[in-house]
Coordinates of all heavy atoms in Angstrom, one line a residue:
A1 N 7.9 19.8 -0.2 CA 6.7 20.6 0.1 C 6.4 20.6 1.6 O 5.8 21.6 2.0 CB 5.6 20.0 -0.7
L2 N 6.7 19.6 2.3 CA 6.4 19.5 3.6 C 7.6 19.4 4.5 O 7.7 18.6 5.5 CB 5.5 18.2 3.9 CG 4.1 18.3 3.5 CD1 3.4 17.0 3.7 CD2 3.3 19.4 4.3
R3 N 8.6 20.2 4.2 CA 9.8 20.1 5.0 C 9.6 20.3 6.5 O 10.3 19.8 7.4 CB 10.9 21.1 4.5 CG 11.5 20.7 3.2 CD 12.6 21.6 2.8 NE 13.0 21.3 1.4 CZ 12.8 22.0 0.4 NH1 12.2 23.2 0.5 NH2 13.1 21.6 -0.8
K4 N 8.6 21.2 6.8 CA 8.3 21.5 8.2 C 7.1 20.7 8.7 O 6.6 20.9 9.8 CB 8.0 22.9 8.4 CG 9.3 23.8 8.1 CD 9.1 25.3 8.3 CE 10.4 26.0 8.0 NZ 10.2 27.4 8.3
G5 N 6.6 19.8 7.9 CA 5.4 19.0 8.3 C 5.7 18.0 9.4 O 6.8 17.7 9.7
S6 N 4.7 17.5 9.9 CA 4.8 16.4 10.9 C 5.2 15.1 10.3 O 5.2 15.0 9.0 CB 3.4 16.2 11.7 OG 2.5 15.6 10.8
D7 N 5.6 14.1 11.1 CA 6.0 12.9 10.6 C 4.9 12.2 9.8 O 5.1 11.6 8.8 CB 6.5 11.9 11.7 CG 7.8 12.3 12.2 OD1 8.6 13.1 11.6 OD2 8.2 11.9 13.4
L8 N 3.6 12.3 10.3 CA 2.5 11.7 9.7 C 2.2 12.4 8.4 O 1.9 11.7 7.4 CB 1.3 11.8 10.6 CG 0.0 11.1 10.1 CD1 0.3 9.6 9.9 CD2 -1.1 11.3 11.2
E9 N 2.3 13.7 8.4 CA 2.1 14.4 7.1 C 3.1 14.0 6.0 O 2.8 13.8 4.9 CB 2.2 15.9 7.3 CG 1.0 16.5 8.1 CD 1.1 17.9 8.6 OE1 2.2 18.3 8.9 OE2 0.1 18.6 8.5
K10 N 4.4 13.9 6.5 CA 5.5 13.5 5.6 C 5.2 12.1 5.1 O 5.5 11.8 3.9 CB 6.8 13.6 6.3 CG 7.3 15.0 6.5 CD 8.6 15.1 7.3 CE 8.9 16.5 7.6 NZ 10.1 16.5 8.5
A11 N 4.7 11.2 5.9 CA 4.5 9.8 5.5 C 3.4 9.8 4.4 O 3.6 9.1 3.4 CB 4.0 9.0 6.7
F12 N 2.4 10.5 4.5 CA 1.3 10.5 3.6 C 1.8 11.2 2.3 O 1.4 10.8 1.2 CB 0.0 11.2 4.1 CG -0.8 10.2 4.8 CD1 -0.7 10.0 6.2 CD2 -1.8 9.5 4.1 CE1 -1.4 9.0 6.8 CE2 -2.6 8.5 4.8 CZ -2.4 8.3 6.2
A13 N 2.6 12.3 2.4 CA 3.1 13.0 1.2 C 4.0 12.0 0.5 O 4.0 11.9 -0.8 CB 3.9 14.2 1.6
T14 N 4.8 11.2 1.2 CA 5.7 10.2 0.6 C 4.9 9.1 -0.2 O 5.2 8.8 -1.3 CB 6.6 9.5 1.6 OG1 7.4 10.6 2.2 CG2 7.5 8.5 1.0
A15 N 3.8 8.7 0.5 CA 2.9 7.7 -0.2 C 2.4 8.3 -1.5 O 2.3 7.6 -2.5 CB 1.8 7.3 0.7
A16 N 2.0 9.5 -1.5 CA 1.4 10.2 -2.7 C 2.5 10.3 -3.7 O 2.2 10.1 -4.9 CB 0.9 11.6 -2.3
L17 N 3.8 10.6 -3.4 CA 4.8 10.8 -4.3 C 5.2 9.5 -4.9 O 5.4 9.4 -6.2 CB 6.1 11.4 -3.6 CG 6.0 12.9 -3.3 CD1 7.2 13.3 -2.4 CD2 5.9 13.7 -4.6
V18 N 5.2 8.4 -4.1 CA 5.5 7.1 -4.7 C 4.5 6.7 -5.6 O 4.7 6.2 -6.7 CB 5.7 6.0 -3.5 CG1 5.8 4.6 -4.0 CG2 7.0 6.4 -2.7
Y19 N 3.2 6.9 -5.2 CA 2.1 6.5 -6.1 C 2.2 7.3 -7.5 O 2.1 6.6 -8.5 CB 0.7 6.9 -5.5 CG -0.4 6.6 -6.4 CD1 -1.0 5.4 -6.4 CD2 -0.9 7.6 -7.2 CE1 -2.1 5.1 -7.3 CE2 -2.0 7.3 -8.1 CZ -2.6 6.1 -8.1 OH -3.6 5.8 -8.9
N20 N 2.5 8.6 -7.4 CA 2.6 9.4 -8.6 C 3.7 8.9 -9.5 O 3.6 9.0 -10.7 CB 2.7 10.8 -8.2 CG 1.4 11.5 -7.8 OD1 0.4 11.0 -8.1 ND2 1.5 12.5 -7.0
N21 N 4.8 8.5 -8.9 CA 6.0 8.0 -9.7 C 5.6 6.7 -10.4 O 6.2 6.5 -11.5 CB 7.2 7.7 -8.8 CG 7.8 9.0 -8.3 OD1 7.7 10.1 -9.0 ND2 8.5 9.0 -7.2
Y22 N 4.7 5.9 -9.9 CA 4.3 4.7 -10.6 C 3.1 4.8 -11.5 O 2.9 4.1 -12.4 CB 4.0 3.6 -9.5 CG 5.2 2.9 -9.0 CD1 6.0 3.5 -8.0 CD2 5.6 1.6 -9.4 CE1 7.1 2.8 -7.5 CE2 6.7 1.0 -8.9 CZ 7.4 1.6 -7.9 OH 8.5 0.9 -7.4
A23 N 2.3 5.9 -11.3 CA 1.0 6.0 -11.9 C 1.2 6.4 -13.4 O 2.2 7.0 -13.8 CB 0.2 7.1 -11.2
D24 N 0.2 6.1 -14.2 CA 0.2 6.4 -15.6 C -0.3 7.9 -15.8 O -0.6 8.6 -14.8 CB -0.7 5.4 -16.4 CG -2.2 5.5 -16.1 OD1 -2.6 6.5 -15.5 OD2 -2.8 4.6 -16.4
P25 N -0.3 8.4 -17.0 CA -0.7 9.8 -17.2 C -2.1 10.1 -16.7 O -2.5 11.2 -16.5 CB -0.6 10.0 -18.8 CG 0.4 9.0 -19.1 CD 0.2 7.8 -18.3
E26 N -3.0 9.1 -16.6 CA -4.3 9.3 -16.1 C -4.4 9.2 -14.5 O -5.4 9.2 -13.9 CB -5.3 8.2 -16.6 CG -5.5 8.3 -18.1 CD -6.3 7.1 -18.6 OE1 -6.5 6.2 -17.9 OE2 -6.7 7.2 -19.8
N27 N -3.2 9.2 -14.0 CA -3.0 9.1 -12.5 C -3.6 7.8 -11.9 O -4.2 7.8 -10.8 CB -3.5 10.3 -11.8 CG -2.8 10.5 -10.4 OD1 -1.7 10.1 -10.2 ND2 -3.6 11.1 -9.5
K28 N -3.4 6.7 -12.6 CA -3.9 5.4 -12.1 C -2.8 4.3 -12.3 O -1.9 4.5 -13.0 CB -5.2 5.0 -12.9 CG -6.4 5.8 -12.7 CD -7.6 5.2 -13.3 CE -8.8 6.1 -12.9 NZ -10.1 5.5 -13.3
L29 N -3.0 3.2 -11.5 CA -2.1 2.1 -11.6 C -2.8 0.9 -12.1 O -3.9 0.6 -11.7 CB -1.6 1.8 -10.2 CG -0.6 2.7 -9.5 CD1 -0.3 2.3 -8.1 CD2 0.7 2.8 -10.3
S30 N -2.1 0.2 -13.0 CA -2.7 -1.2 -13.3 C -2.5 -2.1 -12.1 O -1.8 -1.8 -11.2 CB -2.0 -1.7 -14.6 OG -0.6 -2.1 -14.2
K31 N -3.2 -3.2 -12.1 CA -3.2 -4.1 -11.0 C -1.8 -4.7 -11.0 O -1.2 -4.9 -9.8 CB -4.2 -5.2 -11.2 CG -5.6 -4.6 -11.0 CD -6.7 -5.6 -11.3 CE -8.0 -4.8 -11.2 NZ -9.1 -5.6 -11.7
S32 N -1.1 -5.0 -12.1 CA 0.2 -5.6 -12.0 C 1.2 -4.5 -11.5 O 2.1 -4.8 -10.8 CB 0.7 -6.1 -13.4 OG 0.7 -5.1 -14.4
E33 N 1.0 -3.2 -11.9 CA 1.9 -2.2 -11.4 C 1.7 -2.0 -9.9 O 2.7 -1.8 -9.2 CB 1.6 -0.8 -12.1 CG 2.0 -0.8 -13.5 CD 1.4 0.4 -14.2 OE1 0.3 0.9 -13.9 OE2 2.1 0.8 -15.2
T34 N 0.5 -2.2 -9.4 CA 0.2 -2.0 -8.0 C 0.9 -3.1 -7.2 O 1.5 -2.9 -6.2 CB -1.3 -2.1 -7.7 OG1 -2.0 -1.1 -8.5 CG2 -1.7 -2.0 -6.3
K35 N 0.8 -4.4 -7.7 CA 1.5 -5.5 -7.1 C 3.0 -5.3 -7.1 O 3.7 -5.5 -6.1 CB 1.1 -6.8 -7.7 CG -0.3 -7.2 -7.4 CD -0.7 -8.5 -8.1 CE -2.1 -8.9 -7.8 NZ -2.5 -10.1 -8.4
S36 N 3.5 -4.8 -8.2 CA 5.0 -4.5 -8.3 C 5.4 -3.4 -7.3 O 6.4 -3.6 -6.6 CB 5.3 -4.1 -9.7 OG 6.7 -3.7 -9.8
L37 N 4.6 -2.4 -7.2 CA 4.9 -1.3 -6.2 C 4.8 -1.9 -4.8 O 5.8 -1.5 -4.0 CB 3.8 -0.2 -6.4 CG 4.0 1.1 -5.6 CD1 3.3 2.2 -6.3 CD2 3.6 1.0 -4.2
L38 N 3.9 -2.7 -4.5 CA 3.8 -3.2 -3.1 C 5.0 -4.1 -2.8 O 5.6 -4.0 -1.8 CB 2.5 -4.1 -2.9 CG 1.2 -3.3 -2.9 CD1 0.1 -4.3 -3.0 CD2 1.2 -2.3 -1.8
Q39 N 5.4 -4.9 -3.8 CA 6.6 -5.8 -3.6 C 7.9 -5.0 -3.5 O 8.8 -5.4 -2.7 CB 6.7 -6.8 -4.7 CG 5.6 -7.8 -4.7 CD 5.6 -8.7 -5.9 OE1 6.2 -8.4 -6.9 NE2 4.8 -9.8 -5.8
S40 N 8.0 -3.9 -4.1 CA 9.3 -3.1 -4.1 C 9.3 -2.0 -3.0 O 10.3 -1.7 -2.5 CB 9.6 -2.5 -5.4 OG 8.6 -1.5 -5.8
Q41 N 8.1 -1.5 -2.7 CA 8.1 -0.3 -1.7 C 7.4 -0.6 -0.4 O 7.4 0.2 0.5 CB 7.3 0.8 -2.4 CG 8.0 1.3 -3.6 CD 9.3 2.1 -3.3 OE1 9.4 2.8 -2.3 NE2 10.3 2.0 -4.2
F42 N 6.8 -1.8 -0.3 CA 5.9 -2.0 0.9 C 6.2 -3.5 1.5 O 5.5 -4.0 2.2 CB 4.5 -1.9 0.6 CG 3.6 -1.5 1.7 CD1 3.8 -0.2 2.3 CD2 2.6 -2.2 2.2 CE1 3.0 0.2 3.4 CE2 1.7 -1.8 3.2 CZ 1.9 -0.6 3.8
W43 N 7.4 -4.1 1.0 CA 7.6 -5.5 1.3 C 7.8 -5.8 2.8 O 7.5 -6.8 3.2 CB 8.8 -6.0 0.5 CG 10.1 -5.5 0.9 CD1 10.7 -4.4 0.5 CD2 11.0 -6.2 1.7 NE1 12.0 -4.3 1.1 CE2 12.2 -5.4 1.8 CE3 11.0 -7.5 2.3 CZ2 13.3 -5.8 2.5 CZ3 12.1 -7.8 3.1 CH2 13.3 -7.0 3.1
H44 N 8.2 -4.8 3.6 CA 8.4 -5.1 5.0 C 7.0 -5.4 5.7 O 6.9 -6.1 6.6 CB 9.1 -4.0 5.8 CG 10.5 -4.0 5.6 ND1 11.1 -3.1 4.7 CD2 11.5 -4.7 6.1 CE1 12.5 -3.4 4.7 NE2 12.7 -4.3 5.5
F45 N 6.0 -4.7 5.2 CA 4.6 -4.9 5.7 C 4.0 -6.1 5.1 O 3.1 -6.8 5.8 CB 3.7 -3.7 5.4 CG 4.0 -2.5 6.4 CD1 4.9 -1.5 6.1 CD2 3.2 -2.5 7.6 CE1 5.1 -0.5 7.1 CE2 3.4 -1.5 8.5 CZ 4.4 -0.5 8.2
I46 N 4.3 -6.5 3.9 CA 3.6 -7.7 3.3 C 4.4 -9.0 3.5 O 3.9 -10.1 3.3 CB 3.2 -7.5 1.9 CG1 4.4 -7.3 1.0 CG2 2.2 -6.3 1.8 CD1 4.1 -7.2 -0.5
Q47 N 5.7 -8.8 3.9 CA 6.5 -10.0 4.0 C 5.9 -11.0 5.0 O 5.5 -10.7 6.1 CB 7.9 -9.6 4.5 CG 8.9 -10.6 4.6 CD 10.3 -10.1 5.0 OE1 10.4 -9.0 5.7 NE2 11.3 -10.8 4.7
G48 N 5.8 -12.3 4.6 CA 5.3 -13.3 5.4 C 3.8 -13.4 5.5 O 3.2 -14.2 6.3
Q49 N 3.1 -12.5 4.8 CA 1.7 -12.4 4.9 C 1.0 -13.3 3.8 O -0.2 -13.5 3.9 CB 1.2 -11.0 4.7 CG 1.8 -10.0 5.8 CD 1.4 -10.5 7.2 OE1 0.3 -10.7 7.5 NE2 2.4 -10.6 8.0
E50 N 1.7 -13.8 2.8 CA 1.2 -14.3 1.6 C 0.2 -15.5 1.9 O -0.7 -15.7 1.1 CB 2.3 -14.8 0.7 CG 3.2 -13.7 0.2 CD 4.3 -13.3 1.1 OE1 4.5 -13.9 2.2 OE2 5.1 -12.4 0.7
N51 N 0.4 -16.3 2.9 CA -0.4 -17.4 3.3 C -1.5 -17.1 4.2 O -2.3 -18.0 4.5 CB 0.5 -18.6 3.8 CG 1.5 -19.0 2.8 OD1 1.2 -19.1 1.6 ND2 2.7 -19.4 3.2
K52 N -1.6 -15.9 4.7 CA -2.7 -15.5 5.6 C -4.0 -15.3 4.9 O -4.0 -14.5 3.8 CB -2.3 -14.3 6.5 CG -1.2 -14.7 7.4 CD -0.9 -13.5 8.3 CE 0.1 -14.0 9.4 NZ 0.4 -12.9 10.3
P53 N -5.1 -15.8 5.3 CA -6.4 -15.6 4.6 C -6.8 -14.1 4.4 O -7.2 -13.8 3.3 CB -7.4 -16.3 5.6 CG -6.6 -17.3 6.3 CD -5.2 -16.7 6.5
K54 N -6.5 -13.2 5.4 CA -6.9 -11.9 5.2 C -6.1 -11.2 4.1 O -6.6 -10.4 3.3 CB -6.7 -11.1 6.5 CG -7.3 -9.7 6.5 CD -8.8 -9.8 6.3 CE -9.4 -8.4 6.4 NZ -10.8 -8.4 6.1
Y55 N -4.8 -11.5 4.1 CA -3.9 -10.9 3.0 C -4.4 -11.4 1.6 O -4.6 -10.6 0.7 CB -2.5 -11.4 3.2 CG -1.6 -10.9 2.1 CD1 -1.0 -9.7 2.1 CD2 -1.3 -11.8 1.0 CE1 -0.2 -9.3 1.1 CE2 -0.5 -11.4 0.0 CZ 0.1 -10.2 0.0 OH 0.9 -9.8 -1.0
Q56 N -4.7 -12.7 1.6 CA -5.2 -13.3 0.3 C -6.5 -12.7 -0.1 O -6.7 -12.4 -1.3 CB -5.3 -14.8 0.4 CG -3.9 -15.5 0.5 CD -4.0 -17.0 0.7 OE1 -5.1 -17.5 1.0 NE2 -2.9 -17.6 0.6
E57 N -7.4 -12.4 0.9 CA -8.6 -11.7 0.6 C -8.4 -10.3 0.0 O -9.1 -9.9 -1.0 CB -9.5 -11.7 1.9 CG -10.8 -11.0 1.7 CD -11.5 -10.9 3.1 OE1 -11.4 -11.8 3.9 OE2 -12.2 -9.9 3.3
I58 N -7.5 -9.6 0.6 CA -7.2 -8.2 0.1 C -6.7 -8.2 -1.3 O -7.2 -7.5 -2.1 CB -6.3 -7.5 1.1 CG1 -7.0 -7.3 2.5 CG2 -5.8 -6.2 0.5 CD1 -6.0 -6.9 3.6
I59 N -5.7 -9.1 -1.5 CA -5.1 -9.1 -2.8 C -6.1 -9.7 -3.8 O -6.2 -9.2 -5.0 CB -3.8 -10.0 -2.8 CG1 -2.7 -9.3 -2.0 CG2 -3.2 -10.2 -4.2 CD1 -2.4 -7.9 -2.4
S60 N -6.9 -10.6 -3.5 CA -7.9 -11.2 -4.4 C -8.9 -10.1 -4.7 O -9.4 -10.1 -5.9 CB -8.7 -12.4 -3.8 OG -7.8 -13.4 -3.6
S61 N -9.3 -9.3 -3.8 CA -10.3 -8.2 -4.1 C -9.7 -7.2 -5.1 O -10.4 -6.7 -5.9 CB -10.7 -7.5 -2.8 OG -9.7 -6.7 -2.3
L62 N -8.3 -7.0 -5.1 CA -7.7 -6.2 -6.1 C -7.9 -6.8 -7.4 O -8.2 -6.2 -8.4 CB -6.2 -6.1 -5.7 CG -5.3 -5.3 -6.7 CD1 -5.8 -3.8 -6.7 CD2 -3.9 -5.4 -6.2
D63 N -7.8 -8.1 -7.5 CA -7.9 -8.8 -8.8 C -9.4 -8.8 -9.3 O -9.7 -8.9 -10.5 CB -7.4 -10.3 -8.7 CG -6.0 -10.4 -8.6 OD1 -5.3 -9.4 -9.1 OD2 -5.5 -11.3 -8.0
E64 N -10.3 -8.7 -8.3 CA -11.8 -8.8 -8.7 C -12.4 -7.5 -9.1 O -13.5 -7.4 -9.5 CB -12.5 -9.4 -7.5 CG -12.2 -10.9 -7.3 CD -12.7 -11.5 -6.0 OE1 -13.5 -10.7 -5.3 OE2 -12.4 -12.6 -5.7
E65 N -11.6 -6.4 -8.8 CA -12.2 -5.1 -9.2 C -12.6 -5.0 -10.7 O -11.9 -5.6 -11.5 CB -11.1 -4.0 -8.9 CG -10.9 -3.7 -7.5 CD -12.0 -3.0 -6.8 OE1 -12.6 -2.1 -7.4 OE2 -12.3 -3.3 -5.6
S66 N -13.6 -4.4 -10.9 CA -14.2 -4.3 -12.3 C -13.2 -3.5 -13.2 O -13.1 -3.9 -14.4 CB -15.6 -3.8 -12.4 OG -15.6 -2.5 -11.8
E67 N -12.7 -2.5 -12.7 CA -11.8 -1.7 -13.5 C -10.4 -2.4 -13.6 O -10.0 -3.1 -12.6 CB -11.6 -0.3 -13.0 CG -12.8 0.6 -13.2 CD -12.4 2.1 -12.8 OE1 -11.3 2.5 -13.0 OE2 -13.4 2.7 -12.2
N68 N -9.7 -2.1 -14.6 CA -8.3 -2.7 -14.7 C -7.3 -1.9 -14.0 O -6.1 -2.3 -13.8 CB -7.9 -2.8 -16.2 CG -8.7 -3.9 -16.9 OD1 -9.0 -4.9 -16.3 ND2 -9.0 -3.7 -18.2
K69 N -7.7 -0.7 -13.5 CA -6.7 0.2 -12.9 C -7.3 0.8 -11.6 O -8.5 0.8 -11.4 CB -6.3 1.4 -13.8 CG -5.6 0.9 -15.0 CD -5.2 2.1 -15.9 CE -4.4 1.6 -17.1 NZ -3.8 2.6 -17.8
I70 N -6.4 1.1 -10.7 CA -6.9 1.7 -9.4 C -6.4 3.1 -9.3 O -5.4 3.5 -9.8 CB -6.5 0.8 -8.1 CG1 -5.0 0.9 -7.9 CG2 -7.0 -0.6 -8.2 CD1 -4.6 0.4 -6.5
N71 N -7.2 3.9 -8.6 CA -6.8 5.3 -8.4 C -6.1 5.5 -7.0 O -6.0 4.5 -6.3 CB -8.1 6.2 -8.5 CG -9.1 5.9 -7.4 OD1 -8.9 5.4 -6.4 ND2 -10.4 6.2 -7.7
F72 N -5.7 6.7 -6.7 CA -5.0 7.0 -5.5 C -5.8 6.6 -4.2 O -5.3 6.0 -3.3 CB -4.6 8.4 -5.4 CG -3.8 8.7 -4.2 CD1 -2.5 8.2 -4.0 CD2 -4.3 9.6 -3.2 CE1 -1.7 8.5 -2.9 CE2 -3.6 9.9 -2.1 CZ -2.3 9.3 -1.9
E73 N -7.1 6.9 -4.2 CA -7.9 6.6 -3.1 C -7.9 5.1 -2.8 O -7.8 4.7 -1.6 CB -9.4 7.1 -3.3 CG -9.4 8.6 -3.2 CD -10.9 9.1 -3.6 OE1 -11.8 8.3 -3.7 OE2 -11.0 10.3 -3.8
D74 N -8.2 4.3 -3.8 CA -8.2 2.8 -3.7 C -6.8 2.3 -3.2 O -6.7 1.4 -2.4 CB -8.6 2.1 -5.0 CG -10.0 2.4 -5.3 OD1 -10.8 2.7 -4.4 OD2 -10.4 2.3 -6.5
F75 N -5.7 3.0 -3.7 CA -4.4 2.6 -3.4 C -4.2 2.8 -1.9 O -3.6 2.0 -1.2 CB -3.4 3.4 -4.2 CG -1.9 3.1 -3.8 CD1 -1.3 1.9 -4.1 CD2 -1.2 4.1 -3.1 CE1 0.0 1.7 -3.7 CE2 0.1 3.9 -2.8 CZ 0.7 2.7 -3.1
M76 N -4.6 3.9 -1.4 CA -4.4 4.3 0.1 C -5.2 3.3 0.9 O -4.8 2.8 2.0 CB -4.8 5.7 0.3 CG -3.8 6.7 -0.3 SD -2.1 6.5 0.3 CE -2.2 7.1 2.0
I77 N -6.4 2.9 0.5 CA -7.3 2.0 1.2 C -6.5 0.6 1.3 O -6.5 -0.1 2.3 CB -8.6 1.9 0.6 CG1 -9.4 3.2 0.9 CG2 -9.4 0.7 1.2 CD1 -10.7 3.3 0.1
L78 N -5.9 0.3 0.1 CA -5.2 -0.9 0.0 C -4.0 -0.9 1.0 O -3.7 -1.9 1.8 CB -4.7 -1.2 -1.4 CG -3.8 -2.4 -1.7 CD1 -4.5 -3.7 -1.5 CD2 -3.2 -2.3 -3.1
L79 N -3.2 0.1 1.1 CA -2.1 0.3 2.0 C -2.6 0.1 3.5 O -1.9 -0.6 4.2 CB -1.4 1.6 1.8 CG -0.5 1.8 0.6 CD1 0.2 3.2 0.7 CD2 0.5 0.7 0.4
V80 N -3.6 0.8 3.8 CA -4.1 0.7 5.2 C -4.6 -0.7 5.5 O -4.3 -1.2 6.6 CB -5.3 1.8 5.4 CG1 -6.0 1.5 6.7 CG2 -4.7 3.2 5.3
S81 N -5.3 -1.3 4.6 CA -5.8 -2.7 4.8 C -4.6 -3.7 5.0 O -4.6 -4.5 5.9 CB -6.6 -3.2 3.6 OG -7.7 -2.3 3.4
L82 N -3.6 -3.5 4.2 CA -2.4 -4.4 4.3 C -1.6 -4.1 5.6 O -1.1 -5.0 6.2 CB -1.5 -4.3 3.1 CG -2.1 -4.8 1.7 CD1 -1.2 -4.5 0.6 CD2 -2.3 -6.3 1.9
T83 N -1.6 -2.9 5.9 CA -0.9 -2.5 7.2 C -1.6 -3.1 8.4 O -1.0 -3.6 9.3 CB -0.8 -1.0 7.3 OG1 -0.1 -0.4 6.2 CG2 -0.1 -0.6 8.7
L84 N -2.9 -3.1 8.4 CA -3.7 -3.6 9.5 C -3.5 -5.1 9.7 O -3.7 -5.6 10.8 CB -5.2 -3.3 9.4 CG -5.5 -1.8 9.6 CD1 -6.9 -1.5 9.2 CD2 -5.1 -1.3 11.0
T85 N -3.2 -5.9 8.6 CA -3.1 -7.3 8.7 C -1.6 -7.7 8.9 O -1.3 -8.9 9.1 CB -3.6 -8.0 7.4 OG1 -2.7 -7.6 6.3 CG2 -5.0 -7.6 7.1
S86 N -0.7 -6.8 8.9 CA 0.7 -7.0 9.0 C 1.2 -7.4 10.3 O 0.9 -6.9 11.3 CB 1.5 -5.8 8.5 OG 2.9 -6.0 8.6
D87 N 2.2 -8.4 10.3 CA 2.9 -8.7 11.6 C 3.7 -7.6 12.0 O 4.0 -7.3 13.2 CB 3.8 -9.9 11.4 CG 3.0 -11.2 11.1 OD1 1.8 -11.3 11.5 OD2 3.5 -12.1 10.5
L88 N 4.2 -6.8 11.1 CA 5.1 -5.6 11.4 C 4.3 -4.6 12.2 O 4.9 -4.0 13.2 CB 5.6 -5.0 10.1 CG 6.6 -3.8 10.3 CD1 7.8 -4.2 11.1 CD2 7.0 -3.3 9.0
L89 N 3.1 -4.4 12.0 CA 2.2 -3.5 12.8 C 2.2 -3.9 14.3 O 2.4 -3.1 15.1 CB 0.8 -3.4 12.3 CG -0.1 -2.5 13.0 CD1 0.4 -1.0 12.9 CD2 -1.5 -2.6 12.5
Q90 N 2.1 -5.2 14.5 CA 2.1 -5.7 15.9 C 3.4 -5.5 16.5 O 3.5 -5.1 17.7 CB 1.7 -7.2 15.9 CG 1.4 -7.7 17.3 CD 0.3 -7.0 18.0 OE1 -0.8 -6.7 17.4 NE2 0.5 -6.5 19.2
E91 N 4.5 -5.7 15.8 CA 5.8 -5.4 16.3 C 6.0 -3.9 16.7 O 6.6 -3.6 17.7 CB 6.9 -5.8 15.3 CG 7.0 -7.3 15.1 CD 8.1 -7.6 14.0 OE1 9.1 -6.9 13.8 OE2 7.9 -8.7 13.3
I92 N 5.5 -3.1 15.8 CA 5.6 -1.6 16.1 C 4.8 -1.3 17.3 O 5.3 -0.5 18.2 CB 5.1 -0.8 14.8 CG1 6.0 -1.0 13.7 CG2 4.9 0.6 15.2 CD1 5.5 -0.5 12.4
K93 N 3.6 -1.8 17.5 CA 2.8 -1.6 18.7 C 3.5 -2.1 20.0 O 3.4 -1.5 21.0 CB 1.4 -2.3 18.5 CG 0.5 -1.7 17.6 CD -0.8 -2.5 17.6 CE -1.8 -1.8 16.6 NZ -3.1 -2.7 16.6
N94 N 4.2 -3.2 19.9 CA 4.9 -3.8 21.0 C 6.1 -3.0 21.4 O 6.6 -3.2 22.5 CB 5.2 -5.3 20.8 CG 4.0 -6.2 20.7 OD1 3.0 -5.8 21.2 ND2 4.2 -7.3 20.0
E95 N 6.6 -2.1 20.6 CA 7.8 -1.4 21.0 C 7.5 -0.1 21.8 O 8.5 0.6 22.2 CB 8.5 -0.9 19.7 CG 9.2 -2.1 19.0 CD 10.0 -1.6 17.8 OE1 10.3 -0.4 17.7 OE2 10.4 -2.5 17.0
K96 N 6.3 0.1 22.2 CA 6.0 1.2 23.0 C 6.7 1.1 24.4 O 6.7 0.2 25.0 CB 4.4 1.3 23.2 CG 3.7 1.9 22.1 CD 2.3 2.1 22.5 CE 1.5 2.9 21.5 NZ 0.1 3.1 21.9

């Protein structure tokens, strides 16, 4: 759909496609599916973060949500939050 899109547009389209591939018919992810998706599709960003307080806070908030499932908006907020705490983000910034 975005063959001529920018790299950023393609990145967000890819995130939407990955989410849709994991989501249930109601277009939501269970918390366990979300964690599985992160481990299989986002592991470079979360690798080594498990013992950091901010990472634990983000993952704990996922467990504390009142609903058993998250929607695409919450998923994107989760990705951005995890990216901002990632060591990989700092490495990317340092490559300028």
Side-chain angles (χ1 to χ4, degrees):
L2 283 175
R3 288 187 188 113
K4 295 181 181 182
S6 70
D7 289 343
L8 185 58
E9 289 169 325
K10 289 176 186 175
F12 275 88
T14 300
L17 287 171
V18 169
Y19 178 88
N20 286 337
N21 286 336
Y22 280 79
D24 65 16
E26 296 174 348
N27 203 31
K28 292 189 176 188
L29 289 175
S30 72
K31 292 172 187 173
S32 63
E33 290 168 328
T34 302
K35 289 179 181 180
S36 176
L37 187 156
L38 292 173
Q39 290 171 345
S40 67
Q41 298 288 324
F42 210 62
W43 73 276
H44 283 99
F45 277 92
I46 63 174
Q47 185 177 25
Q49 303 302 306
E50 296 85 0
N51 296 323
K52 292 188 175 183
K54 190 64 177 173
Y55 175 86
Q56 291 175 350
E57 179 184 325
I58 292 166
I59 294 301
S60 292
S61 69
L62 179 62
D63 290 332
E64 293 170 6
E65 288 289 322
S66 58
E67 283 189 39
N68 288 329
K69 297 185 177 187
I70 67 167
N71 61 24
F72 181 69
E73 291 174 10
D74 292 335
F75 176 72
M76 291 302 289
I77 292 168
L78 177 64
L79 288 184
V80 170
S81 299
L82 291 172
T83 299
L84 291 172
T85 66
S86 174
D87 293 335
L88 183 58
L89 179 63
Q90 192 58 47
E91 289 178 32
I92 292 167
K93 287 180 178 180
N94 291 338
E95 287 187 14
K96 279 187 173 181

